[in-house]
Amino acid sequence: MSKYQSPKVNVNMSAAKGVAVAIVLLIIIGVVATASVKIVDAGHRGVLLHWNAVDLTQPPLDEGLHFVIPFQDEVVNIEVRTLKYASDARSASRDLQTVETTVTVNYHPDKEAVHRLYKNLGLDYENRVIQPAIEETVKQVTAKYNAEELITKRPLVKQDIEVAITERLNQFEVVTDVISITDFEFSPLFAQAIESKVEAEQNALRAENDLRRIEVEARQTEANAVGLANANIAEAKGEAEAIAIINRALAENPNYLDWLKTQAWDGKLPLVVGEGGTPFIQIPVKP
């Protein structure tokens, strides 16, 4: 090999170094650009971190593209759409009956407070606050009612559970949308006893309603009978008064009966006329 390299070789080496440097610069620029741009997904809010510390000085980042300081800032996506959490809670009623309750909570993190939620609870806030809130609330509420009331007063029990869970989760920046109690389960023997008692009460109420209906119908029948009797009495009185008036008229005027006949006559002569057939018409008869 020659002690001195040719100018052509030096040019090639310089070009190779320039290409290598350009590639390195492009990589650096790409890394910096990637670190400078953060995207918040649809249905999410972004929590801005400075050196892994939550920035509470500004509200959470909205959906879309955001520019941050590279290598210093990070953005954590937190979903704020309605989410569902179901939990089975075991508790005891006031009369010490074991109750299995299934509660479903539809919720979403407060869109304007997800940075505080992340700072205080992190991303695993469901297991940290929602599940304990459901279990403790169900135990507190069911202990206020006996087992029968948990069935017969279900709307009231549901309302108490909803209010208690809502108030508790609001303290942790979690907003409840709908809370559903899908089931109350007791032991088979106790459930059968409750059903039998409820059925007996319904039958008794049905019998009481039937008795009231019969009493009302009886009073209506009695009223109808009294009304009919009064009508018959009035009719009989009217006929008696009419007969008395006719008798007085006959006593005072014997021709009154003939006058009544003329009032009842339809104006047509009979085909056969006998003696007394038309007392008000005198037909001459030869001696």
Side-chain angles (χ1 to χ4, degrees):
M1 183 180 293
S2 175
K3 184 178 180 181
Y4 300 99
Q5 294 180 346
S6 65
K8 184 177 180 180
V9 174
N10 292 333
V11 170
N12 291 336
M13 292 182 61
S14 298
K17 290 180 179 180
V19 171
V21 171
I23 293 173
V24 171
L25 290 176
L26 289 175
I27 293 174
I28 293 174
I29 292 172
V31 172
V32 172
T34 302
S36 301
V37 177
K38 300 297 180 183
I39 298 176
V40 178
D41 299 331
H44 293 67
R45 289 295 183 272
V47 177
L48 183 60
L49 306 180
H50 297 309
W51 303 115
N52 288 332
V54 178
D55 184 4
L56 299 177
T57 61
Q58 61 178 346
L61 303 178
D62 292 330
E63 304 170 356
L65 190 67
H66 298 274
F67 293 96
V68 298
I69 301 174
F71 310 113
Q72 171 187 312
D73 297 343
E74 290 291 338
V75 174
V76 178
N77 277 268
I78 296 182
E79 188 173 6
V80 293
R81 289 174 290 202
T82 299
L83 304 171
K84 177 182 177 180
Y85 187 86
S87 176
D88 296 329
R90 178 187 292 268
S91 58
S93 61
R94 189 174 60 190
D95 52 354
L96 302 181
Q97 293 292 332
T98 302
V99 186
E100 292 282 351
T101 309
T102 302
V103 180
T104 301
V105 179
N106 291 336
Y107 71 95
H108 67 270
D110 188 344
K111 298 178 181 179
E112 304 303 323
V114 293
H115 50 340
R116 294 195 295 269
L117 173 65
Y118 180 77
K119 178 180 176 61
N120 296 328
L121 300 173
L123 295 176
D124 192 28
Y125 59 90
E126 277 191 350
N127 293 327
R128 290 191 175 187
V129 296
I130 296 181
Q131 181 178 357
I134 293 176
E135 292 178 352
E136 294 181 15
T137 298
V138 169
K139 290 179 181 179
Q140 292 174 358
V141 173
T142 54
K144 296 164 52 179
Y145 299 90
N146 59 41
E148 181 180 351
E149 291 173 338
L150 291 176
I151 298 175
T152 59
K153 298 181 179 179
R154 185 187 181 99
L156 183 59
V157 176
K158 180 178 182 293
Q159 180 181 357
D160 290 348
I161 292 177
E162 285 180 350
V163 171
I165 291 178
T166 299
E167 291 178 352
R168 180 156 184 169
L169 293 184
N170 284 346
Q171 300 175 4
F172 299 100
E173 317 298 346
V174 176
V175 179
T176 56
D177 298 323
V178 179
I179 299 176
S180 303
I181 300 175
T182 56
D183 199 8
F184 276 124
E185 292 186 359
F186 304 91
S187 64
L189 291 177
F190 184 80
Q192 184 177 0
I194 290 295
E195 291 177 0
S196 299
K197 182 176 181 180
V198 172
E199 183 179 358
E201 292 177 350
Q202 292 176 347
N203 291 336
L205 181 60
R206 188 180 302 109
E208 182 179 355
N209 292 334
D210 290 341
L211 178 60
R212 291 178 179 176
R213 177 179 55 79
I214 293 172
E215 290 177 351
V216 171
E217 292 177 352
R219 286 196 295 268
Q220 291 177 346
T221 302
E222 181 182 358
N224 293 335
V226 171
L228 181 59
N230 291 335
N232 292 334
I233 292 174
E235 182 179 0
K237 288 182 178 179
E239 292 178 353
E241 291 177 358
I243 293 172
I245 292 173
I246 292 173
N247 289 334
R248 286 197 301 269
L250 288 174
E252 296 174 358
N253 187 359
N255 295 326
Y256 178 68
L257 185 60
D258 293 336
W259 179 82
L260 288 178
K261 291 182 179 180
T262 62
Q263 296 298 317
W265 184 48
D266 58 0
K268 298 179 181 179
L269 291 174
L271 296 177
V272 179
V273 178
E275 185 179 356
T278 54
F280 47 87
I281 299 176
Q282 300 296 330
I283 299 177
V285 180
K286 292 180 179 182

